[in-house]
Amino acid sequence: MPDDPAAMIARAREVTRLNIQALQALEATIDDSLARAVDIVLSRPGYLVVTGMGKSGHIGGKIAATLASTGTNSFFVHPAEMSHGDLGMLRKDVTLLAISNSGESRELRDPLIYCQREGIPVIGITQRPNSFLGRSSAVCLTLPSAPEACPNGLAPTTSTLMTLAMGDALAMVLMDRRGFTAEDFGLHHPGGKLGMSLQSVRDWMGDRPPTPAVIPTTATFAEVVSAITEGRKGAVAVLNADGTLAGIVTDGDVRRAFARDLSGLTAADVMSASPKVIGPDARMSDAIDLMTQNRIATLLVVEDDRPLAIVHIAELMQAGYVG
């Protein structure tokens, strides 16, 4: 290729166009074989084991990860490792998802023969349904014929992209059939901002949440300041005589109170009587939205009109909930 930016851009666009055309061809050829594959997976109590050699193996690893994170128990096993002892992972209750563009990868033969002997159903993804993989499959998810973007027609490009798309389609249909919810997704993704935002406030609190700083409505101004300082959350919950929530006093309320005569002031005089609160079963994303939209730094977690915890925006930032 000439050292010409325009030529390089044109080539990159050509590769992208070939990929788009391949995906369009795949979309047009998806048929009821995918539905039959889904039915097989749902009918089997064991894992969906994914295998593939070379680039197909790399794609298979990603497909297995997507399946596992969206409700289908799945893991990847290298086909060559199966021939050296790991066939023991293929229990009789599993399903094998085998990937090979040609369908003739010699490393797949041992696991495919083993599955035939043990009555383990195979779902194949290949461009050649008449290949050994295609013939060995209970369901063959056939990829359309499409030229590789590689100028020599050798390096897998469009074929791996179509394989990945087929795997994503399978995973998403399974996810829909299982009724896999956003809350379920959050349980599988406790790390990272996305997973953390899908957690509940109760998850954030843990099984032993720190007791929030509380004071009665009759507390003196000095007692209010002392409670906020000791609680280290920038706020204190104010309680009625029966222990129910009456309001909240924040650092901001304390600062504004200094403009008044402090003698004789009580918590009831300086508190906000209608504070923003959230229940423990709400999502953390809802708590963050509530704090952001109302421009508040503290939020009370309340259940049965009694405070369980105080959330401060600084600790959410420190924990990675807020960027």
Side-chain angles (χ1 to χ4, degrees):
M1 175 181 290
D3 185 11
D4 177 9
M8 289 186 280
I9 291 171
R11 174 59 175 149
R13 287 176 175 169
E14 179 188 19
V15 172
T16 303
R17 184 169 60 253
L18 288 170
N19 281 330
I20 292 172
Q21 291 171 352
L23 290 177
Q24 289 173 334
L26 175 64
E27 179 188 13
T29 56
I30 290 177
D31 55 20
D32 64 353
S33 60
L34 187 134
R36 288 187 283 118
V38 168
D39 288 339
I40 288 176
V41 175
L42 293 176
S43 70
R44 305 283 292 173
Y47 282 81
L48 177 55
V49 180
V50 184
T51 192
M53 190 66 194
K55 302 299 187 296
S56 293
H58 296 308
I59 296 298
K62 189 275 179 187
I63 292 173
T66 298
L67 287 161
S69 69
T70 54
T72 298
N73 293 330
S74 181
F75 60 89
F76 178 84
V77 182
H78 194 285
E81 298 294 339
M82 289 194 198
S83 298
H84 294 273
D86 285 355
L87 280 173
M89 295 182 179
L90 298 182
R91 303 184 313 185
K92 290 192 176 184
D93 62 350
V94 309
T95 305
L96 182 67
L97 176 62
I99 304 169
S100 171
N101 190 48
S102 69
E104 300 292 351
S105 297
R106 64 180 181 274
E107 292 85 359
L108 286 179
R109 287 185 169 265
D110 287 343
L112 291 176
I113 292 171
Y114 179 84
C115 287
Q116 289 176 347
R117 185 171 65 243
E118 297 298 319
I120 297 171
V122 175
I123 298 171
I125 300 180
T126 180
Q127 237 178 28
R128 297 172 58 190
N130 295 323
S131 63
F132 186 76
L133 171 57
R135 298 193 307 273
S136 302
S137 299
V139 175
C140 184
L141 302 177
T142 304
L143 304 176
S145 178
E148 301 285 9
C150 170
N152 300 316
L154 299 175
T157 48
T158 55
S159 60
T160 49
L161 181 63
M162 289 190 294
T163 302
L164 180 60
M166 181 67 85
D168 284 344
L170 179 64
M172 294 302 100
V173 175
L174 282 165
M175 182 178 179
D176 292 344
R177 285 283 303 274
R178 294 182 189 280
F180 196 78
T181 66
E183 286 73 19
D184 297 325
F185 191 85
L187 289 174
H188 288 228
H189 297 75
K193 188 177 294 185
L194 173 61
M196 294 165 76
S197 69
L198 291 171
Q199 292 178 357
S200 70
V201 175
R202 197 183 300 276
D203 292 333
W204 170 82
M205 290 164 50
D207 58 352
R208 293 184 178 180
T211 303
V214 297
I215 52 172
T217 55
T218 56
T220 65
F221 185 75
E223 289 172 334
V224 170
V225 174
S226 177
I228 292 177
T229 302
E230 292 178 5
R232 298 183 179 182
K233 290 293 184 80
V236 61
V238 184
L239 304 184
N240 294 308
D242 62 358
T244 59
L245 181 68
I248 189 173
V249 181
T250 67
D251 283 336
D253 294 322
V254 169
R255 288 194 298 271
R256 286 185 288 272
F258 278 105
R260 304 160 61 182
D261 181 4
L262 300 181
S263 60
L265 279 184
T266 66
D269 297 322
V270 297
M271 72 180 186
S272 298
S274 300
K276 299 297 180 184
V277 300
I278 197 163
D281 295 319
R283 292 183 189 174
M284 284 303 295
S285 59
D286 295 331
I288 294 166
D289 289 344
L290 191 60
M291 297 173 79
T292 302
Q293 293 166 6
N294 292 279
R295 299 182 179 180
I296 54 177
T298 53
L299 183 64
L300 285 171
V301 182
V302 175
E303 187 173 44
D304 297 329
D305 205 25
R306 297 175 186 273
L308 300 180
I310 297 176
V311 183
H312 195 283
I313 194 69
E315 59 190 338
L316 297 184
M317 295 175 67
Q318 185 176 15
Y321 286 88
V322 182

